[in-house]
């Protein structure tokens, strides 16, 4: 199944060049808008890595975004580290948290896992607002300006690209097949020698890293964090809706969903915050009832797109 | 270190709540043999499969695969040691193609060799043309065949088949049994649960009979057929049913 | 040591008063789960709508929240039936995550609608104020009334399930839908009715929330998680389990609030839920099969 990787490498380089060009040329408003889009792409693609491929739907993925934001901010303010080291720290913290949380919650199945993750993310949010001596509690942390908005955009843009390429590689690999097998039938997969616990924990950790980096980049971008804005339920909802719309368990599904809804949100809905939320609710209901498998798989089933794990 | 028996089950007990599903079960499977496991419904056949393949640990007793104890080991480690199984209720991966289903069970060769092996096995059960179709779109019989092909994919040393022919059309059934015989010649051992006694009598060299969670007879098919307890517990019932 | 006893008693009694409210909400959630096998993750939002209905009736016509319970119950019962018939029933038989995501989406729509209609401001219905003193324990009259009412409604629903024909049909369907169907029970109608009943109970709980607490459109979210935690504690699908689980959570939260800070209280439910999911997944009273 290993086919030529050249087209993918070229496409990645093209996207990379486009990111650099955009970062250099775009106006501050467009940089901010672009940041939101790459944030959605990164988060949806990271959610897809675990929930789309293994079927373990997480209602609390924002916890990795939040832990990344807090770790980066604390390393920068109290630790005095520069943004590269602090960002790495954020990624590591997210990975460690995923390992710990995953070893507990991934034993649960289906809805139990989903809601346990929701509870876990709320518990971590409570911890962030309670542990005032470390986190500043509800008043949050103000950051020094150590990475420009353009720099933060580029950092997150490259993370988004990296997450997609990672998904592509996973989807082509034996590991990816194992994840899909777990999604389809975990017991059956184990009977075929798939080390399910190990595989899904690995996917969970892999998916937490980009989310942690996104939390750090977001902290650099807005120079301020507090518990309410770093653990927003809405962000988890957006990851779920965007991935479901494009199609979970595909490489480009979350990208399509994030671009569609991110652009629509940026240019159409942003002015009506309350309606905005409701539209996501309507979208969830509509997707579950009308296109539960998502756009890309639907197009593949119709023969409009080729049916391949490469998309 | 490897004796003549590839699998030894010694004094295995398993209870669910108050129900003693397996009671002091001992039996062994000779290397490169085809052993049949028979008994009335609810006699503990599938429970025994589940215990042996690691789906739950036995309450007591030893299970030895190739000289190594496996009782209580998780299913996937048992599978990686060469013991794989099929299920009475089909368990294929619906939203994956037949080929991908096969590759999940791949033994870890290089990608091209694995793909060739998978396609060859799919061809053997008549599914070549459907290699790139989703298993969810298959008929019941096709999924049974896919599952059967998949269980051979890792090149297992011991295969447990739980009613592999149920729902498969008669011609394909013959193919299935002949693949079992060929694989045995190539070195694979089989333990089979199957209700068609004619098949069991001709296919298996040995039969183990379970009733109420206990082994009530063991031996060559002809011996077992003449065993009084077996006739009472198993054939007696079918004979009765046939008369009605 | 002894002089602290009244304080502890006060804390525990306070927990029980709140716990009965939890029990009412969670019993409805468990009823729905038992019959439909759907985790109704918009349950808290249905309760929130009940609270606004009570608020509206009080603000417009000065109807006491305790008296408007039948009205909110009926309204939410009808809304529940509408939701079940038009949405939930369409994912019947689909993987459980479909219904989880669906009701999750419905909850978001309801919250957003309430935000638009009522704004994010906190409201309350000061229909019953003051406290009565029993020995040395202060019992706020509103919470005491909520407690008694919640017990009456939960108890009533329990008797309904135990004694009446319709209740027996519901219990049969929640034991085994297929067997119930072959016994001549119209399971589709039972599902509809059970969802309506659960929603109605959530609506009634909304009245009690309005009576004794302040609330805004986002109050449903917290109650969703707590109600789910409770049915895990009590046993999924086990009606009586939800009742005891509710009381237990109320008391544990009360004690946590006393010994730690108020913020930690909300985390207690999640931690208890995680512990039960991991170590005693069948809950206190055993899960329905």
């Amino acid at each position: 199944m290993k086919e030529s990787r050249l087209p993918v490498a070229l496409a990645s380089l093209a996207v990379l060049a486009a990111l650099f060009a955009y970062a250099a040329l775009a106006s501050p408003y467009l940089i901010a808008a672009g940041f939101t889009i790459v944030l959605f792409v990164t988060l949806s693609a990271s959610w897809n890595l675990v929930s789309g491929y293994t079927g373990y739907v997480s209602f609390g993925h924002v916890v990795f975004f939040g832990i990344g934001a807090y770790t980066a901010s604390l390393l920068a303010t109290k630790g005095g580290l520069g943004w590269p080291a602090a960002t790495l720290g954020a990624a590591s913290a997210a990975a460690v948290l995923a390992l710990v949380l995953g070893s507990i919650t991934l034993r649960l199945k289906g809805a139990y896992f989903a809601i346990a993750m929701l509870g876990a993310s709320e518990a971590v949010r409570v911890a962030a607002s309670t542990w005032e001596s470390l986190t500043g509690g509800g008043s949050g942390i103000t950051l020094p300006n150590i990475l420009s908005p353009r720099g933060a955009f580029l950092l997150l843009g490259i993370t988004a690209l990296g997450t997609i390429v990672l998904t592509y590689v996973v989807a082509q690999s034996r590991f990816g097949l194992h994840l899909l097998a777990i999604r389809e039938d975990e017991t059956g997969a184990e009977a075929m020698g798939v080390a399910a616990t190990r595989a899904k924990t690995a996917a969970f950790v892999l998916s937490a890293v980009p989310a942690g980096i996104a939390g750090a980049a977001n902290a650099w971008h807005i120079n301020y964090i507090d518990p309410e804005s770093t653990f927003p339920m809405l962000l988890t909802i957006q990851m779920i809706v965007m991935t479901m719309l494009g199609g979970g368990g595909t490489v480009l599904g979350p990208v399509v969903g994030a671009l569609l809804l991110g652009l629509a949100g940026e240019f159409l809905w942003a002015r009506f915050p309350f309606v905005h939320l409701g539209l996501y609710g309507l979208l969830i209901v509509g997707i579950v009832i009308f296109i539960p498998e998502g756009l890309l798989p639907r197009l593949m089933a119709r023969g409009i797109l080729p049916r391949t794990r490469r998309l | 270190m490897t004796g003549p028996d590839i699998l030894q089950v010694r004094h295995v007990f398993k209870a669910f709540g108050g129900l003693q599903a397996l009671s002091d079960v001992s039996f062994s499977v000779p290397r490169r043999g085809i052993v049949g496991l028979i008994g009335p419904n609810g006699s503990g056949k599938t429970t025994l499969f589940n215990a042996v393949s690691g789906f739950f640990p036995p309450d007591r007793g030893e299970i030895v695969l190739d000289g190594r104890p496996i009782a209580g080991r998780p299913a996937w480690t048992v599978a990686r040691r060469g013991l794989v199984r099929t299920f009475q209720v089909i368990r294929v991966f619906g939203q994956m193609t037949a080929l991908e289903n096969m590759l999940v069970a791949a033994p870890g060769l290089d990608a091209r060799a694995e793909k060739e092996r998978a396609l060859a096995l799919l061809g053997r059960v008549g599914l070549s043309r459907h290699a790139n179709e989703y298993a969810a779109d298959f008929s019941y019989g096709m999924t049974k065949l896919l599952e059967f092909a998949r269980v051979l994919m890792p090149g297992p040393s011991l295969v447990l088949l739980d009613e592999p022919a149920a729902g498969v059309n008669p011609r394909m059934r013959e193919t299935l049994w002949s693949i079992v015989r060929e694989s045995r010649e190539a070195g694979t051992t089989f333990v089979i649960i199957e209700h068609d006694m004619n098949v069991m009598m001709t296919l298996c060299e040995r039969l183990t009979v379970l009733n109420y969670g206990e082994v009530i007879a063991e031996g060559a098919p002809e011996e077992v057929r003449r065993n009084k307890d077996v006739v009472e517990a198993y054939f007696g019932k079918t004979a009765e049913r046939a008369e009605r | 040591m002894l002089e602290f006893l009244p304080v502890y008693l006060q804390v525990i009694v306070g927990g029980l008063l709140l716990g009965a409210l939890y029990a009412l909400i969670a019993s409805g959630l468990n009823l729905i789960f038992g019959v439909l096998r759907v985790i109704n993750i918009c349950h808290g939002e249905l309760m929130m709508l009940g609270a606004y209905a009570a608020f509206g009736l009080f603000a417009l016509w000065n109807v006491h929240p305790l008296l408007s319970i039948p009205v909110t119950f009926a309204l939410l019962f009808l809304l529940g039936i509408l939701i079940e018939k038009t949405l939930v029933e369409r994912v019947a038989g689909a993987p459980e995550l479909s219904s989880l995501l669906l009701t999750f989406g419905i909850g978001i729509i309801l919250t957003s609608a309430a935000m638009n209609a009522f704004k994010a401001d906190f409201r309350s219905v000061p229909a019953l104020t003051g406290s009565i003193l029993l020995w040395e324990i202060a019992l706020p009259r509103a919470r005491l009334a909520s407690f008694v009412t919640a017990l009456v409604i939960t108890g009533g629903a329990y008797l309904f399930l135990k004694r009446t024909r319709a209740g027996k049909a519901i219990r049969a369907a929640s034991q085994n839908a297929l067997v119930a169907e072959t016994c001549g029970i119209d399971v589709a109608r039972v599902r509809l009715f059970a969802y309506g009943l659960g929603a109605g109970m959530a609506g009634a709980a909304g009245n009690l929330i309005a009576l004794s607490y302040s609330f805004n459109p986002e109050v449903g979210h917290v109650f969703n998680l707590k109600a789910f935690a409770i049915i895990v504690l009590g046993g999924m699908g086990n009606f009586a389990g939800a009742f005891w689980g509710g009381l237990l959570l109320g008391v544990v939260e009360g004690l946590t609030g006393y010994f730690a800070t108020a913020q930690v209280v909300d985390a207690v439910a999640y931690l208890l839920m995680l512990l039960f999911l991991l170590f005693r997944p069948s809950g206190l009273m055993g899960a329905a099969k």
Side-chain angles (χ1 to χ4, degrees):
Chain A
M1 59 188 317
K2 205 170 277 179
E3 287 150 69
S4 167
R5 291 209 164 143
L6 190 65
V8 181
L10 288 178
S12 307
L13 279 177
V15 172
L16 196 62
L19 284 172
F20 272 98
Y22 191 89
L25 302 174
S27 68
Y29 167 74
L30 284 178
I31 289 287
F35 186 87
T36 310
I37 301 293
V38 288
L39 180 67
F40 285 151
V41 172
T42 308
L43 290 176
S44 302
S46 85
W47 187 82
N48 179 47
L49 257 178
V50 62
S51 297
Y53 279 88
T54 70
Y56 277 71
V57 168
S58 165
F59 279 4
H61 208 62
V62 73
V63 74
F64 302 117
F65 176 84
I67 203 81
Y70 266 95
T71 308
S73 305
L74 288 173
L75 287 176
T77 53
K78 302 204 172 178
L81 295 183
W83 69 264
T87 307
L88 270 182
S92 320
V96 171
L97 181 68
L99 197 60
V100 174
L101 267 185
S103 64
I104 301 169
T105 56
L106 283 168
R107 291 192 221 169
L108 306 169
K109 303 257 180 279
Y112 297 93
F113 170 78
I115 294 170
M117 280 306 297
L118 179 55
S121 73
E122 295 281 310
V124 174
R125 182 178 59 79
V126 169
S129 49
T130 316
W131 195 354
E132 289 187 15
S133 59
L134 184 71
T135 63
S139 47
I141 303 172
T142 305
L143 296 172
N145 198 351
I146 57 174
L147 184 63
S148 69
R150 282 174 205 280
F153 165 79
L154 205 50
L155 170 66
L156 193 54
I158 292 169
T159 307
L161 179 62
T163 313
I164 301 162
V165 172
L166 175 67
T167 310
Y168 178 84
V169 172
V170 166
Q172 306 301 307
S173 69
R174 181 192 308 275
F175 173 57
L177 276 185
H178 286 184
L179 297 182
L180 285 174
I182 290 169
R183 181 183 80 180
E184 294 301 307
D185 177 358
E186 188 164 348
T187 307
E190 288 193 309
M192 303 285 42
V194 172
T197 306
R198 204 183 290 168
K200 65 198 184 191
T201 310
F204 201 53
V205 172
L206 277 184
S207 80
V209 168
I213 297 177
N218 194 53
W220 309 143
H221 184 66
I222 55 179
N223 288 329
Y224 170 75
I225 62 166
D226 71 356
E228 295 310 315
S229 63
T230 42
F231 295 95
M233 179 77 190
L234 175 64
L235 210 49
T236 301
I237 297 171
Q238 283 165 325
M239 297 179 216
I240 297 174
V241 176
M242 289 168 179
T243 308
M244 282 177 63
L245 176 64
T250 63
V251 178
L252 293 179
V255 182
V256 170
L259 289 179
L260 281 177
L261 293 184
L263 290 173
E266 197 59 40
F267 296 111
L268 299 177
W269 308 342
R271 273 161 266 177
F272 314 103
F274 294 156
V275 181
H276 191 179
L277 184 69
L279 281 174
Y280 279 113
L282 281 175
L283 270 167
I284 294 186
V285 170
I287 293 168
V288 168
I289 289 182
F290 297 111
I291 37 167
E293 75 275 37
L295 285 175
L296 284 194
R298 173 63 63 91
L299 293 175
M300 287 180 192
R302 290 266 167 88
I304 297 168
L305 284 175
R307 197 180 241 180
T308 161
R309 298 273 176 231
R310 309 180 78 194
L311 284 179
Chain B
M1 87 174 198
T2 48
D5 292 333
I6 187 164
L7 178 75
Q8 290 178 313
V9 174
R10 298 186 197 124
H11 310 294
V12 161
F13 289 80
K14 180 76 198 178
F16 297 107
L19 181 80
Q20 195 67 43
L22 296 175
S23 179
D24 198 14
V25 170
S26 297
F27 85 113
S28 51
V29 178
R31 199 172 294 278
R32 302 181 73 167
I34 301 179
V35 172
L37 193 58
I38 63 175
N41 285 333
S43 58
K45 301 180 299 275
T46 297
T47 307
L48 183 57
F49 267 22
N50 284 338
V52 168
S53 57
F55 279 85
F56 42 66
D59 297 335
R60 262 193 290 157
E62 279 181 77
I63 300 169
V64 180
L65 173 67
D66 244 344
R68 293 200 286 184
I70 56 165
R73 297 292 165 92
W76 64 271
T77 48
V78 173
R80 288 193 181 181
R81 287 189 185 174
L83 189 164
V84 289
R85 64 172 296 185
T86 64
F87 294 85
Q88 212 171 353
V89 184
I90 36 175
R91 305 197 91 118
V92 293
F93 309 122
Q95 294 305 313
M96 297 170 75
T97 66
L99 180 58
E100 288 174 334
N101 264 275
M102 299 295 288
L103 292 173
V104 168
L109 313 170
D110 74 282
R112 179 175 300 181
E114 276 179 358
K115 192 171 172 183
E116 272 168 20
R117 182 181 167 78
L119 289 173
L121 278 166
L122 284 176
R124 202 66 194 80
V125 295
L127 291 176
S128 287
R129 282 188 303 127
H130 307 286
N132 289 316
E133 290 170 21
Y134 279 7
D137 301 334
F138 282 13
S139 70
Y140 183 80
M142 285 161 77
T143 47
K144 287 294 267 197
L145 292 170
L146 172 59
E147 201 182 16
F148 179 70
R150 194 179 63 183
V151 84
L152 296 175
M153 181 68 194
S157 50
L158 175 59
V159 177
L160 313 182
L161 299 174
D162 200 343
E163 300 191 27
V168 176
N169 75 51
R171 210 173 38 144
M172 216 52 229
R173 252 183 236 184
E174 282 313 308
T175 317
L176 207 145
W177 299 132
S178 66
I179 299 172
V180 167
R181 288 195 191 91
E182 284 165 27
S183 309
R184 191 268 299 273
E185 292 311 313
T188 307
T189 308
F190 288 88
V191 181
I192 303 173
I193 297 176
E194 169 59 44
H195 283 302
D196 185 338
M197 288 314 297
N198 292 329
V199 169
M200 294 300 258
M201 288 292 166
T202 51
L203 186 68
C204 305
E205 291 108 17
R206 261 171 95 85
L207 292 178
T208 297
V209 190
L210 281 179
N211 196 22
Y212 295 111
E214 289 177 53
V215 176
I216 57 167
E218 212 180 355
E222 274 312 306
E223 285 169 49
V224 168
R225 195 207 276 278
R226 286 193 297 269
N227 185 306
K228 237 180 106 188
D229 293 340
V230 178
V231 173
E232 202 159 291
Y234 195 84
F235 297 105
K237 267 191 187 166
T238 39
E240 235 172 65
R241 206 178 296 145
E243 276 163 27
R244 268 190 225 140
Chain C
M1 198 57 213
L2 214 60
E3 64 268 31
F4 287 114
L5 200 59
V7 181
Y8 289 131
L9 266 180
Q10 174 82 58
V11 168
I12 289 171
V13 167
L16 283 175
L17 293 187
L18 176 59
L21 204 50
Y22 286 163
L24 172 58
I25 299 162
S27 318
L29 182 65
N30 230 357
L31 179 66
I32 293 174
F33 177 78
V35 176
L36 290 94
R37 297 287 128 175
V38 165
I39 295 172
N40 189 42
I41 204 86
C42 62
H43 207 68
E45 280 77 16
L46 295 173
M47 179 208 78
M48 177 269 296
L49 290 185
Y52 275 101
F55 175 78
L57 288 169
F58 183 75
L60 290 177
W61 298 301
N62 211 17
V63 187
H64 196 284
L66 288 177
L67 294 179
S68 61
I69 285 178
V71 181
T72 26
F73 184 92
L75 284 176
L76 269 291
F77 183 88
L78 290 178
L79 179 66
I81 281 186
L82 187 72
I83 290 175
E84 207 281 338
K85 188 112 190 157
T86 54
L87 299 172
V88 176
E89 202 55 27
R90 301 184 69 152
V91 295
E96 65 174 348
L97 283 169
S98 305
S99 60
L100 188 73
L101 285 165
L102 179 76
T103 52
F104 184 63
I106 295 171
I108 297 171
I109 295 172
L110 296 180
T111 307
S112 166
M115 279 282 189
N116 283 291
F118 312 120
K119 304 287 171 279
D121 308 333
F122 276 87
R123 317 271 183 170
S124 59
V125 181
L128 202 57
T129 52
S131 298
I132 56 172
L133 225 77
L134 200 65
W135 296 293
E136 288 179 53
I137 300 165
L139 299 171
R141 289 167 64 198
R143 292 185 192 189
L144 191 61
S146 296
F147 173 77
V148 174
T149 315
L151 287 188
V152 168
I153 299 174
T154 317
Y158 185 74
L159 286 179
F160 168 78
L161 290 176
K162 271 267 189 269
R163 296 283 164 78
T164 66
R165 222 182 130 73
K168 282 176 184 160
I170 288 182
R171 283 194 299 142
S174 105
Q175 289 296 314
N176 189 323
L178 209 64
V179 173
E181 189 98 54
T182 53
C183 292
I185 293 172
D186 182 350
V187 172
R189 241 177 78 192
V190 169
R191 291 164 61 89
L192 192 60
F193 186 72
Y195 196 95
L197 195 57
M201 288 167 75
N207 278 50
L208 304 181
I209 290 286
L211 182 66
S212 39
Y213 298 90
S214 60
F215 59 94
N216 80 347
E218 284 176 326
V219 70
H221 175 60
V222 179
F223 276 87
N224 272 333
L225 267 175
K226 289 190 180 173
F228 183 75
I230 291 164
I231 65 174
V232 169
L233 298 190
M236 298 289 288
N238 185 322
F239 192 89
F243 178 76
W244 295 114
L247 293 185
L248 176 71
L249 182 66
V251 172
V252 173
E253 282 192 353
L255 290 170
T256 316
Y258 180 68
F259 287 109
T261 67
Q263 283 164 314
V264 183
V265 169
D266 283 344
V268 167
Y270 319 137
L271 292 179
L272 270 179
M273 172 179 79
L274 265 184
L275 289 176
F276 268 78
L277 281 176
L278 292 171
F279 300 112
R280 197 176 160 77
S282 60
L284 292 171
M285 310 281 289
K289 283 280 281 273

